[in-house]
Amino acid sequence: MFEVKTRDLGGRIGKLVTRHGVLETPFLFPVIDPHRQVPGLPKIRDMGFNGIITNAYLFYKRSRGLIKPIHDELAWTDVIMTDSGGYQILIYGDVEADNKTIVMYEKSIGSDIAVILDVPTGSKMSFEEAQKAVWETYRRGIEALPLIMDADQLWVYPVQGAPYKELVARSTILANKLPYDIYAVGSPTVMLEKYKYSELVKLVVTVRARLPPGKPLHVFGVGHPMIIPFLVAVGGDLFDSASYILYARGERYMTETGTRNIRDLVYFPCNCPVCSKYTPQEVLEMPREGREEVIATHNLHVLIKEIKTVKEAIKEGRLWELLEYRSRAHPALYEAFNVIKKYVKLLEKTDSTTSPSGKALLLFNADSCVNPRLRVNVRKALSRVGVTGKTVILIPAYRKPYTLQEEYKAIAGLTGTRADVEALFIHPLLGVFKPSVSSTYPFYQHECRITRRTANPAKIAKLIDKVVELGARKVVVVQAGWFTEDLFRKTTKYLSEGVSRAPLFICKLNEISSLLLQ
Ligand SMILES: [Zn+2]
């Protein structure tokens, strides 16, 4: 059972109930190596992971198919997810067991969350081969259903087809026909290794947009803190990571803004228990196993910290701001952020955009304006200005509360009883809005510094065009705050032809009364 508690953008904090406890999503499963696990499971539990993922096929091979309860085998009392061996297919071409055998095995050993034996498409397959993998996975999805009907485990259906978007979409539509508890997207690890973050975001959006919102989505093999906020924002709920140990073997140290080789570090930019205890030099001087354990431990710490950061951002309604901030860490992340901006209409549908988050919106630049929390409210406010046939006085909003600005007080005094004049605020990032909404969210609950860069003439021209389009007879801009004469001159160059229908002026506060008499 999956229940969404809080949402922001496409991200959600949810509760996934399993036979061995509840996972709070977004959740990341550390991938466990049954032969040689570093760091040990008790340490992983202590870090706060109450779920792990391991490979059922490796157990099957090791025990020659003999059924041993997996919780006993691993001495782990919390949630265990098992992958089926699909990854081995990808690497070695085939496995020595068929779908039915693996599904029955996973069922018998008592996995809490189990994956059918899918056929991953990887990144080297031709379109035709990938298409075959999609259909074969679907066939196996149907084949497994009678076997798992009576199971009280959660079953996962992996969507295939990447990197071919069309196939991914088709595979998701097929997935929807099958009543699985969780859907997963197989993401070629090459996308992560090569920093193809925008491709990853597109892949997850393609799947998420075609799935029922009540179903959790697992993203396979994406265990780097850099990309997690972006994938959560487009609807990823579950992740797994082997990269914490794979990176550690290559002396690679994860941070939420990038990967560093510890040979390049003099200081550890982290306060987790191992980074507090050792210097990079001391770690380098350790025997190989000790070194791997220290780096892997740090990598797991930074992963769980990132998951918590994302959850806190969702709770506060500040996931967009987190993306804005994190997108500056690497051009590949900024590229991924730009992809998310293109899907903002989709995110508006899932976001609780109109409900105030209780936190002020932090507005920096044009990127901040794409935030659905801002967009939806700005659009709504603009649609309600009611200016048909009226003279519109646009007062630059520059100091909160805007209704206490001297320009507003003076103009409200002049126009109070006149039905043919409408005084509105204009703000480069908040658009055009009525004074009556200036005390509501987010027109009051925001933080912003208007500079020459934020007061973009093209953007302001669009706002004025919109006021004219809504039927204004005449538009008067008050020269105050950030709205200078110079900005007005530049703005007029961007106005559309239609503006000639309504005269446009700029004037100082003391000139308003004479202008209104005209
Ligand atoms: Zn650390």
Side-chain angles (χ1 to χ4, degrees):
M1 193 193 80
F2 181 61
E3 189 188 351
V4 173
K5 295 280 181 193
T6 314
R7 54 179 85 237
D8 190 24
L9 305 177
R12 347 37 112 76
I13 297 177
K15 291 212 180 300
L16 183 65
V17 180
T18 79
R19 298 189 308 179
H20 284 82
V22 177
L23 295 178
E24 189 180 74
T25 67
F27 185 82
L28 181 136
F29 298 88
V31 175
I32 299 307
D33 180 347
H35 301 301
R36 189 174 148 268
Q37 175 52 33
V38 175
L41 288 178
K43 284 190 181 167
I44 287 188
R45 186 66 190 84
D46 286 348
M47 282 182 223
F49 294 98
N50 66 329
I52 51 174
I53 183 169
T54 192
N55 190 312
Y57 178 63
L58 295 182
F59 276 92
Y60 176 81
K61 253 177 66 172
R62 194 169 70 169
S63 63
R64 297 196 178 88
L66 215 70
I67 307 300
K68 294 177 186 169
I70 193 152
H71 286 81
D72 295 349
E73 285 287 292
L74 288 170
W76 178 268
T77 54
D78 292 299
V79 182
I80 300 179
M81 175 170 178
T82 49
D83 195 1
S84 54
Y87 183 72
Q88 275 65 32
I89 295 183
L90 191 64
I91 305 295
Y92 308 112
D94 206 354
V95 291
E96 301 157 14
D98 61 9
N99 179 43
K100 279 184 177 175
T101 311
I102 289 291
V103 165
M104 284 312 290
Y105 180 73
E106 287 181 277
K107 188 176 166 185
S108 313
I109 60 173
S111 316
D112 299 303
I113 303 173
V115 187
I116 60 161
L117 187 65
D118 57 325
V119 187
T121 36
S123 52
K124 289 180 187 149
M125 276 190 183
S126 68
F127 185 87
E128 285 70 28
E129 286 169 326
Q131 195 168 24
K132 267 191 198 160
V134 166
W135 282 105
E136 177 58 16
T137 299
Y138 180 58
R139 189 195 66 75
R140 293 181 186 189
I142 298 169
E143 180 183 68
L145 280 176
L147 306 175
I148 61 178
M149 285 288 211
D150 60 339
D152 53 357
Q153 300 157 304
L154 300 175
W155 282 87
V156 182
Y157 182 89
V159 169
Q160 295 300 343
Y164 307 102
K165 193 183 165 190
E166 183 194 330
L167 287 182
V168 173
R170 198 179 304 162
S171 180
T172 316
I173 293 165
L174 290 174
N176 259 316
K177 296 180 193 282
L178 306 177
Y180 278 79
D181 306 294
I182 299 171
Y183 296 97
V185 49
S187 52
T189 38
V190 63
M191 283 187 181
L192 189 69
E193 286 286 332
K194 294 195 171 169
Y195 285 65
K196 291 184 173 175
Y197 295 153
S198 56
E199 297 295 311
L200 266 173
V201 166
K202 279 183 205 161
L203 176 63
V204 174
V205 170
T206 306
V207 178
R208 181 79 266 179
R210 291 169 176 82
L211 284 180
K215 294 281 184 173
L217 177 64
H218 184 106
V219 186
F220 274 119
V222 182
H224 199 296
M226 279 173 94
I227 189 63
I228 283 176
F230 296 84
L231 296 185
V232 169
V234 291
D237 300 298
L238 301 164
F239 302 90
D240 62 275
S241 170
S243 44
Y244 71 93
I245 181 67
L246 300 178
Y247 277 46
R249 287 181 192 146
E251 296 174 354
R252 286 184 291 167
Y253 178 95
M254 292 175 174
T255 79
E256 58 271 30
T257 55
T259 308
R260 306 295 306 271
N261 190 301
I262 64 160
R263 288 181 190 275
D264 299 333
L265 292 175
V266 177
Y267 309 101
F268 280 137
C270 171
N271 273 337
C272 79
V274 289
C275 294
S276 309
K277 195 169 171 187
Y278 305 109
T279 65
Q281 190 58 37
E282 284 166 348
V283 174
L284 277 173
E285 285 164 6
M286 286 176 179
R288 188 174 58 90
E289 283 187 5
R291 191 168 62 225
E292 280 176 16
E293 175 155 5
V294 166
I295 306 172
T297 302
H298 158 81
N299 287 346
L300 281 169
H301 271 290
V302 73
L303 280 163
I304 202 159
K305 179 171 164 250
E306 192 56 17
I307 293 280
K308 286 181 190 167
T309 303
V310 170
K311 281 186 193 168
E312 187 61 25
I314 292 175
K315 186 180 80 47
E316 293 189 344
R318 280 194 165 157
L319 191 51
W320 187 269
E321 283 119 308
L322 180 67
L323 300 186
E324 276 188 80
Y325 175 57
R326 287 289 162 75
S327 67
R328 303 295 165 157
H330 195 284
L333 287 177
Y334 196 65
E335 196 186 6
F337 181 54
N338 282 331
V339 170
I340 294 181
K341 287 199 279 190
K342 286 188 196 151
Y343 290 108
V344 73
K345 279 193 185 145
L346 195 71
L347 298 181
E348 276 178 15
K349 287 187 199 157
T350 51
D351 193 11
S352 51
T353 37
T354 43
S355 64
S357 70
K359 298 281 173 191
L361 278 183
L362 305 178
L363 308 178
F364 298 96
N365 51 32
D367 284 343
S368 313
C369 298
V370 191
N371 185 347
R373 279 181 194 275
L374 188 75
R375 264 170 63 100
V376 169
N377 288 296
V378 162
R379 209 166 48 216
K380 207 177 352 164
L382 184 62
S383 70
R384 289 181 182 169
V385 292
V387 295
T388 313
K390 293 182 186 177
T391 295
V392 174
I393 304 179
L394 292 176
I395 307 167
Y398 60 85
R399 190 173 54 234
K400 290 189 294 177
Y402 300 130
T403 45
L404 291 186
Q405 282 182 205
E406 58 164 333
E407 298 79 13
Y408 176 72
K409 288 198 279 186
I411 289 164
L414 280 172
T415 62
T417 53
R418 288 186 56 171
D420 60 330
V421 182
E422 189 76 33
L424 301 171
F425 285 113
I426 183 166
H427 184 286
L429 304 180
L430 297 166
V432 171
F433 54 96
K434 280 183 148 184
S436 58
V437 303
S438 68
S439 58
T440 66
Y441 180 86
F443 299 95
Y444 187 74
Q445 293 88 343
H446 66 269
E447 287 300 331
C448 171
R449 301 288 179 271
I450 302 173
T451 62
R452 275 188 195 180
R453 276 187 64 192
T454 36
N456 176 314
K459 175 103 201 273
I460 303 213
K462 263 193 186 165
L463 289 172
I464 295 176
D465 277 348
K466 189 72 193 169
V467 172
V468 173
E469 223 175 85
L470 289 169
R473 185 175 63 84
K474 189 195 301 186
V475 180
V476 183
V477 177
V478 181
Q479 187 186 325
W482 49 268
F483 217 135
T484 60
E485 232 180 332
D486 181 49
L487 175 65
F488 182 76
R489 205 168 34 248
K490 286 178 185 154
T491 299
T492 53
K493 289 182 193 151
Y494 290 96
L495 291 171
S496 77
E497 291 301 308
V499 161
S500 58
R501 284 181 281 122
L504 174 69
F505 306 93
I506 184 163
C507 65
K508 296 197 175 90
L509 184 58
N510 57 15
E511 300 162 347
I512 293 275
S513 56
S514 55
L515 199 90
L516 285 180
L517 291 174
Q518 287 170 16

